[in-house]
């Protein structure tokens, strides 16, 4: 299995503090992966590096069949290359309707002039309706995103990610603020998405991770502490000490 | 899928156009040249200039209200547009006068002599008699009209590219725009800038080729031109903010990082809007200064751009018609209060002279609007129309789970 994303000995420090320390991480083109680790382990920083928000001090980040370096690309270029990201706290455009949020995320020409002359079509309208249906927001499609509940915003953001049709999906703590039923829906959705693409999920909630039934990577102090099935890593004494035993 | 043309989907555009047309017709019918003369020519000019300011405010609203960049240098573009058209106005008119006086000579003047005489006439005040390089195209109306949009456009493009690329944002960007207009003003103040220093350009109300028309007629023509420009660019701006492009720029205003992660080249969008707004503002300026008659570097001082921001804030930013309302209401009130015609308020022991106190009142109302009516005057319209029609986005009744 060739890797879609290859993170190779990456380090980054903030004011001398090593947030990511010689981290290496691979993920295949069709794979579901959970990343766990205590607070401050560097999980969000890892996503920042992959998505171009933070430039590492050392290391390589390679992408796709032709191993392009993501470090030379800016956030927008990386997103267009097929990396989608869901933030820790829901970030939707609160001032705009659910359908406007989804329409913006739809895969289409992203240049200013391409956008200027873009016109909604029957296909695009149907796609937006379909996405809204998928994340359970059909009823709310004309409402402003700001009027949605916290959980609904999470879903809207997931809908926007789907609209982007990314090849790699980075999801930071999706279960936060969701009800039990919503969590179950989310795990089902993430597992289904991972049937056709790579999905990396950062999550604190162990039950949530268990339901994902996937390979788990444990981060600690900016590097990989253990990797394998959830049962495998939870038996690892190092992991128990730094994370589970607390 | 059939969609109505966007103008029909946005009734506010039709209302604005109708009001603008009615206003223009009414002023024309009361003008000295085409009507009963109820409105003196000087007032026609004030109204025409106000339309130009309204257009600058619409452009400001694009940049600030929609894109989220509080540019405090917009009036630099406005003044540059004025300078560019002013160069031709002054050159062509001086040329006519000089040619007429040289025609008295027994030997006809060569083109070079003519040019030297013109230069001497224009630049005598700053102690120079050479035509500066920046006046190379001043003989041609077409070229200067191209420069009206090209010079501010290129300035905005270069400035924007440098600023946006290094991700200067928020208050730092505002300060940078202010520094830009201040630097430009200080440069223009110098006698050797080529723009006649603090004298600026004058006599711009005399339009070469139209010497036979009196100011009463010209003032109405400029009113029409200003109204037409406002209408055209209002529709353009409304079209720009109506569709997905509008969605994206408002998204940039609210959370540009998130927009980047959606794959949009944020800098490109900012550049397009900033540059386009600069060009629209310049066109407004090119129509304004022939009505004002004179332009000098003081027009570029940061305070002018700050006023523009205040008008847009009071009118209601993020609403294009709000920008027009703000510019019209505040600038007309300003000229009324500072014109000495507003009755003073006699308090026991103190007389409030509006000439002195208007600025204070304006500043105070800006603070009040910011605090209590962040959507400005346009927000009141929103609330009124909200009373008539039930909110489309009214929360639906949630299903109650047993
Ligand atoms: N921009 C920054 N400047 C300085 N320090 C930072 C910055 N970003 C992250 N850090 C630090 O780097 C470390 C890793 O942070 P990160 O957000 O990646 O942790 P995390 O694993 O996502 O934690 P959590 O589970 O709390 O979300 C933390 O100690 C954090 O304080
Ligand atoms: Mg985190």
């Amino acid at each position: 299995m060739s890797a879609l994303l290859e993170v190779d000995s990456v380090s980054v420090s903030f004011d001398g503090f090593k947030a990511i320390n010689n981290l290496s991480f691979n993920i295949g083109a069709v794979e579901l992966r959970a990343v766990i680790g205590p607070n401050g382990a560097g999980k969000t920083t890892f996503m920042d590096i992959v998505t171009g928000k933070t430039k590492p001090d050392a290391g390589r980040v390679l992408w796709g069949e032709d191993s392009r370096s993501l470090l030379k690309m800016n956030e927008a270029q990386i997103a267009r290359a097929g990396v989608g990201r869901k933030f820790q706290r829901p970030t939707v455009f609160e001032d705009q309707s659910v359908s406007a949020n989804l329409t913006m995320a739809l895969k289409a020409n992203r240049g200013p002039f391409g956008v200027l002359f873009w016109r909604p079509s029957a296909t695009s309208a149907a796609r937006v309706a379909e996405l809204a249906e998928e994340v359970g927001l059909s009823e709310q499609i004309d409402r402003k995103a700001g009027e949605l509940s916290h959980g609904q915003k999470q879903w809207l953001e997931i809908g926007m990610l789907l609209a982007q049709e990314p090849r790699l999906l980075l999801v930071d703590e999706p279960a936060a603020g969701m009800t039990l039923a919503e969590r179950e829906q989310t795990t089902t959705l993430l597992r289904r998405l991972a049937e056709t693409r790579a999905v990396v999920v950062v999550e604190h909630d162990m039950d949530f991770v268990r339901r994902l039934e996937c390979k788990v990577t444990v981060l600690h102090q900016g590097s990989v502490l253990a990797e394998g099935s959830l049962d495998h890593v939870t038996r690892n004494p190092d992991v128990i000490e730094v994370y589970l035993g607390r | 899928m059939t969609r109505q043309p966007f103008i029909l989907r946005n009734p506010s555009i039709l209302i604005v156009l109708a009001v603008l047309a009615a206003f223009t017709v009414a002023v024309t019918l009361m003008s000295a040249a085409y009507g009963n003369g109820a409105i003196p020519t000087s007032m026609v000019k004030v109204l025409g200039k106000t339309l130009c300011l309204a257009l600058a405010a619409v452009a400001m609203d694009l940049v600030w209200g929609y894109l989220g960049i509080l540019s405090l240098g917009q009036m630099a573009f406005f003044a540059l547009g004025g300078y560019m058209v002013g160069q031709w106005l002054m050159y062509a008119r001086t040329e006519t006068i000089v040619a007429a006086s040289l025609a008295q000579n027994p030997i006809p003047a060569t083109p070079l002599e003519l040019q030297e005489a013109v230069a001497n006439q224009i630049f005598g005040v700053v102690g120079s008699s050479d035509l500066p390089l920046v006046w190379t195209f001043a003989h041609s109306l077409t070229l200067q009209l191209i420069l009206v949009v090209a010079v501010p456009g290129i300035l905005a493009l270069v400035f924007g590219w440098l600023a946006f690329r290094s991700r200067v944002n928020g208050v730092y960007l505002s300060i940078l725009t202010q520094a830009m207009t201040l630097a430009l003003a200080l440069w223009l103040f110098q006698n050797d800038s080529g723009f006649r220093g603090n004298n600026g350009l004058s006599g711009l109300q005399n339009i070469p080729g139209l010497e036979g028309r009196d100011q009463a007629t010209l003032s109405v023509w400029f009113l029409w031109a200003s109204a037409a420009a406002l209408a055209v660019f209002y529709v353009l701006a409304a079209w720009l903010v109506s569709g997905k492009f509008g969605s994206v720029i408002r998204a940039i205003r609210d959370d540009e990082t998130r927009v980047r992660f959606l794959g949009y080249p944020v800098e490109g969008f900012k550049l397009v809007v900033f540059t386009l707004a600069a060009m629209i503002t310049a066109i407004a300026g090119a129509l304004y200064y022939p009505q004002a008659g004179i332009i000098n570097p003081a027009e570029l001082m940061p305070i002018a751009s700050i006023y523009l921001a205040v008008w847009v804030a009071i009118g209601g930013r993020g609403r294009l018609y709000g920008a027009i309302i703000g510019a019209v209401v505040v600038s007309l009130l300003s000229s009324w209060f500072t014109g000495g015609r507003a009755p003073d308020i006699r308090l026991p022991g103190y007389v409030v002279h509006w000439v002195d106190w208007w600025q204070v009142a304006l500043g105070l109302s800006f603070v009040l609007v910011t605090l209590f009516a962040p959507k400005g005057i346009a927000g009141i319209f929103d609330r009124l129309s909200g009373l008539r029609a039930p909110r489309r986005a009214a929360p639906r009744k949630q299903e109650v789970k047993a």
Side-chain angles (χ1 to χ4, degrees):
Chain A
M1 181 184 68
S2 76
L4 173 67
L5 176 76
E6 193 185 334
V7 175
D8 184 19
S9 357
V10 163
S11 298
V12 63
S13 47
F14 300 111
D15 312 317
F17 168 74
K18 282 218 164 187
I20 295 286
N21 191 2
N22 203 18
L23 174 74
S24 295
F25 177 97
N26 285 355
I27 186 157
V30 180
E31 190 183 346
L32 178 59
R33 179 78 63 90
V35 175
I36 60 174
N39 290 105
K43 305 180 297 291
T44 302
T45 309
F46 159 71
M47 292 198 171
D48 286 346
I49 290 171
V50 174
T51 53
K53 193 178 178 196
T54 300
K55 293 287 172 216
D57 306 325
R60 297 188 305 166
V61 180
L62 303 176
W63 169 257
E65 288 71 28
D66 45 0
S67 292
R68 268 193 293 163
S69 169
L70 290 186
L71 300 182
K72 293 196 185 73
M73 294 155 75
N74 65 34
E75 298 98 314
Q77 288 166 329
I78 292 173
R80 290 201 294 276
V83 179
R85 173 171 188 181
K86 195 200 154 300
F87 288 84
Q88 204 159 339
R89 71 187 165 79
T91 45
V92 295
F93 300 107
E94 311 227 332
D95 195 35
Q96 303 195 37
S97 68
V98 168
S99 71
N101 271 278
L102 290 171
T103 305
M104 252 188 284
L106 278 188
K107 198 171 178 152
N109 187 335
R110 294 295 205 230
F113 296 103
V115 172
L116 193 52
F117 294 104
W118 183 91
R119 285 289 160 259
S121 63
T123 340
S124 73
R127 180 84 184 112
V128 167
E130 187 188 7
L131 285 162
E133 172 84 55
E134 190 158 5
V135 293
L137 293 174
S138 294
E139 290 272 289
Q140 282 79 16
I141 193 133
D142 286 328
R143 280 178 69 180
K144 277 196 176 171
E147 297 171 358
L148 302 178
S149 72
H150 186 82
Q152 286 174 322
K153 285 180 194 167
Q154 297 272 33
W155 279 107
L156 174 56
E157 199 178 358
I158 290 171
M160 290 166 72
L161 276 176
L162 301 183
Q164 277 178 265
E165 299 174 22
R167 297 183 61 198
L168 166 66
L169 204 53
L170 301 171
V171 191
D172 206 349
E173 303 201 20
M178 283 190 172
T179 64
L180 205 64
E182 283 172 331
R183 283 170 190 229
E184 269 166 24
Q185 269 179 295
T186 313
T187 34
T188 316
L189 177 69
L190 289 172
R191 282 169 60 179
R192 207 192 73 223
L193 289 173
E195 287 165 9
T196 51
R197 75 198 76 212
V199 179
V200 176
V201 184
V202 164
E203 189 50 71
H204 277 293
D205 186 307
M206 272 305 153
D207 291 329
F208 188 90
V209 173
R210 188 172 300 282
R211 274 197 299 268
L212 290 176
E213 292 173 10
C214 65
K215 191 168 162 186
V216 175
T217 299
V218 185
L219 282 194
H220 177 53
Q221 293 180 349
S223 36
V224 176
L225 188 65
E227 206 162 66
S229 72
L230 186 63
D231 288 331
H232 173 80
V233 299
T234 47
R235 277 197 302 267
N236 184 319
D238 293 339
V239 175
I240 295 173
E241 192 187 330
V242 304
Y243 189 29
L244 304 159
R246 290 187 309 164
Chain B
M1 200 166 84
T2 54
R3 264 160 59 96
Q4 290 180 313
F6 95 103
I7 290 193
L8 297 181
R9 278 182 281 128
N10 296 276
S12 71
I13 300 178
L14 290 179
I15 297 174
V16 168
L17 292 181
V19 171
L20 185 60
F23 168 82
T24 310
V25 170
V27 175
T28 305
L29 293 180
M30 286 189 272
S31 69
Y34 293 94
N36 60 13
I39 301 180
T41 297
S42 63
M43 191 59 199
V44 174
K45 286 188 178 186
V46 168
L47 295 174
K49 286 192 291 184
T50 304
L51 293 178
C52 298
L53 295 174
L55 180 53
V58 168
M60 175 71 186
D61 203 13
L62 277 182
V63 170
W64 186 26
Y66 288 87
L67 185 60
I69 296 175
L70 173 54
S71 165
L72 296 178
Q74 289 303 106
M75 292 309 266
F77 304 126
F78 190 82
L80 278 178
Y83 265 104
M84 292 304 122
V85 82
Q87 283 183 301
W88 174 77
L89 289 169
M90 210 168 166
Y91 186 94
R93 181 171 148 76
T94 313
E95 191 180 44
T96 320
I97 295 169
V98 168
S101 77
L102 288 183
Q104 321 282 326
N105 294 357
I107 313 160
T110 65
L112 197 65
E113 281 171 340
L114 185 64
Q115 202 196 47
E116 272 173 7
V118 171
N120 206 8
Q121 187 74 26
I122 296 179
F123 296 99
V125 286
V126 288
S128 163
S129 58
D130 297 324
L131 205 60
L133 206 61
V134 288
W135 286 69
T136 309
F137 304 123
H139 60 275
S140 160
L141 174 61
T142 317
L143 291 176
Q144 286 298 139
L145 286 183
I146 292 172
L147 291 183
V148 163
V149 287
V151 169
I154 290 169
L155 175 65
L157 200 66
V158 172
F159 177 89
W161 188 73
L162 291 171
F164 304 152
R165 195 184 51 127
S166 37
R167 304 216 176 150
V168 183
N169 265 326
V171 68
Y172 299 100
L173 186 54
S174 300
I175 292 171
L176 219 57
T177 55
Q178 204 168 87
M180 172 196 77
T181 189
L182 184 63
L184 205 58
L186 295 179
W187 175 69
L188 286 169
F189 267 122
Q190 294 177 8
N191 280 344
D192 54 8
S193 66
F195 291 96
R196 303 198 346 143
N198 62 358
N199 306 286
L201 311 181
S202 54
L204 308 183
Q205 73 279 20
N206 306 303
I207 314 300
L210 296 176
E211 285 85 357
R213 306 288 177 164
D214 57 3
Q215 286 297 314
T217 309
L218 288 179
S219 67
V220 178
W221 288 8
F222 268 100
L223 178 89
W224 292 343
S226 307
L230 179 56
V232 166
F233 289 110
Y234 184 84
V235 173
L236 177 76
W239 176 70
L240 211 65
V241 301
S242 72
K244 189 165 154 185
F245 190 89
S247 237
V248 173
I249 61 174
R250 278 181 292 143
I252 291 174
R253 173 192 70 193
D254 295 338
D255 189 348
E256 70 171 67
T257 312
R258 182 72 180 92
V259 179
R260 284 204 180 91
F261 287 119
L262 282 177
Y264 289 99
V266 167
E267 289 71 34
F269 280 83
K270 287 185 178 176
L271 262 189
V272 167
V273 175
F274 188 64
T275 306
L276 183 74
M279 297 198 289
I280 294 175
T281 311
I283 291 171
L287 286 165
Y288 179 96
Y289 288 102
Q291 303 180 70
I294 180 163
I295 180 171
N296 63 51
E299 307 279 314
L300 282 87
M301 290 308 276
I303 188 70
S305 301
I306 293 173
Y307 276 135
L308 188 64
V310 170
W311 299 343
V312 172
I314 290 181
R317 73 194 141 107
R319 305 276 186 297
L320 290 174
Y321 57 87
I324 297 186
I325 295 172
V328 170
V329 170
V330 184
S331 76
L332 287 181
L333 278 182
S334 267
S335 53
W336 188 62
F337 277 119
T338 55
R341 264 169 293 162
D344 294 333
I345 299 179
R346 292 179 189 286
L347 300 175
Y350 189 81
V351 180
V352 178
H353 294 291
W354 278 115
V355 180
D356 304 325
W357 281 93
W358 162 246
Q359 303 277 350
V360 179
L362 182 61
L364 214 59
S365 52
F366 177 61
V367 172
L368 291 178
V369 163
T370 314
L371 288 179
F372 299 110
K375 287 179 177 172
I377 301 176
I380 300 170
F381 284 89
D382 286 1
R383 217 169 293 164
L384 290 180
S385 58
L387 286 180
R388 272 191 282 109
R391 279 201 315 159
R392 186 175 60 149
R396 282 162 218 260
K397 228 182 180 176
Q398 293 289 320
E399 283 171 40
V400 184
K401 276 183 193 154

